[in-house]
């Protein structure tokens, strides 16, 4: 997570954004220390060192983050540290699943840094009642935008689409994707009104070899899987807004980082 082949730290796009005066945020439907959000903020030789990854949140100035994994911050096995108390000392206003997000967001209007831990460990699937993703993402965009003089960077992950692929569960995939699609509608509407925001939509990989089979209709899909692991399928990259043409073509996924830097007009 955020290291090179010799496990030496590599600066992430989020950390670069912070250094250049942008405000930053992370929102995920996994734990906030899971692989994707962690890759933007942490440096560790093993993606499942969750308690160590949680410590790295104290080493940045990220302004807004929402996801599960409260236990890795305040009831740790490796030490007696309470990272939530340490975050509060750094100026964070912190909430958790004991207060619904819709009530929590009413309290953040005058805050500078905000964190919300949506579950103790992994959040529930949307089909089982998890309902914070859309609200937390749009709230976060507004939160950063109103405070940012130089702009903002936010990563939003609908994490559990992948989990449905690992489980070869089409209903899991589809229900998570429907929520993500609804979120994307709102994000694109926001970006269209703003006129200065680049939106990038992609994934790190496909999971399960999920395919739509002959005989499917718009209202009833026949599906199949080839694996419970990641596949080698090409992954689309969609982009909307300023510099979106940078993301056309076929390229290795690490190039997305360099294209984001080019969109920011950062020198090499």
């Amino acid at each position: 997570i955020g290291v090179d082949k010799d496990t030496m730290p590599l600066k992430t796009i989020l950390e670069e954004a912070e250094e250049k005066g942008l405000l930053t945020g992370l929102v995920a439907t996994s734990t906030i220390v899971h692989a994707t959000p962690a890759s933007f903020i942490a440096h560790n030789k093993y993606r499942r060192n969750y308690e160590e990854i949680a410590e790295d949140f104290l080493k940045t100035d990220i302004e807004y983050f929402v996801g599960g994994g409260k236990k890795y911050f305040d009831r740790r096995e490796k030490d007696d540290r309470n990272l939530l108390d340490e975050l509060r000392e750094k100026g964070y206003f912190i909430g958790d699943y004991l207060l619904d997000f819709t009530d929590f967001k009413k309290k953040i209007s005058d805050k500078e840094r905000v964190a919300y831990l949506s579950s103790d460990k992994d959040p529930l699937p949307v089909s089982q009642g998890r309902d914070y993703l859309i609200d937390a993402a749009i709230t976060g965009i507004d939160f950063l935008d109103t405070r940012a003089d130089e702009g903002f960077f936010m990563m939003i992950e609908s994490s559990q689409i992948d989990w449905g692929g690992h489980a070869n569960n089409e209903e899991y995939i589809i229900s998570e994707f429907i929520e993500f699609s609804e979120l994307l509608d709102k994000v694109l509407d926001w970006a269209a009104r703003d006129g200065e925001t680049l939106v990038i939509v992609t994934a790190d990989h496909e999971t399960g070899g999920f395919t739509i089979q002959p005989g499917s209709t718009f209202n009833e899909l026949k599906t199949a899987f080839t694996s419970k692991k990641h596949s080698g399928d090409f992954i689309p990259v969609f982009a909307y807004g300023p510099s979106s043409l940078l993301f056309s073509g076929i390229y290795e996924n690490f190039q997305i980082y360099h294209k984001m830097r080019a969109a920011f007009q950062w020198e090499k």
Side-chain angles (χ1 to χ4, degrees), residues 41-70:
I41 200 166
H43 307 277
N44 201 283
K45 63 183 179 181
Y46 183 47
R47 58 173 284 180
R48 290 187 172 87
N49 286 337
Y50 297 136
E51 293 186 356
E52 293 179 13
I53 289 169
E55 294 169 23
D56 282 359
F57 278 78
L58 274 300
K59 300 172 185 175
T60 76
D61 292 317
I62 184 172
E63 280 77 22
Y64 182 94
F65 65 90
V66 177
K70 181 174 183 284

Side-chain angles (χ1 to χ4, degrees), residues 127 164 168-177 210 223 225:
S127 62
N168 284 183
N169 185 328
E170 65 176 80
E171 292 183 1
Y172 196 173
I173 293 172
I174 292 169
S175 60
E176 296 292 326
F177 195 85
F210 183 49
T223 65
F225 295 87

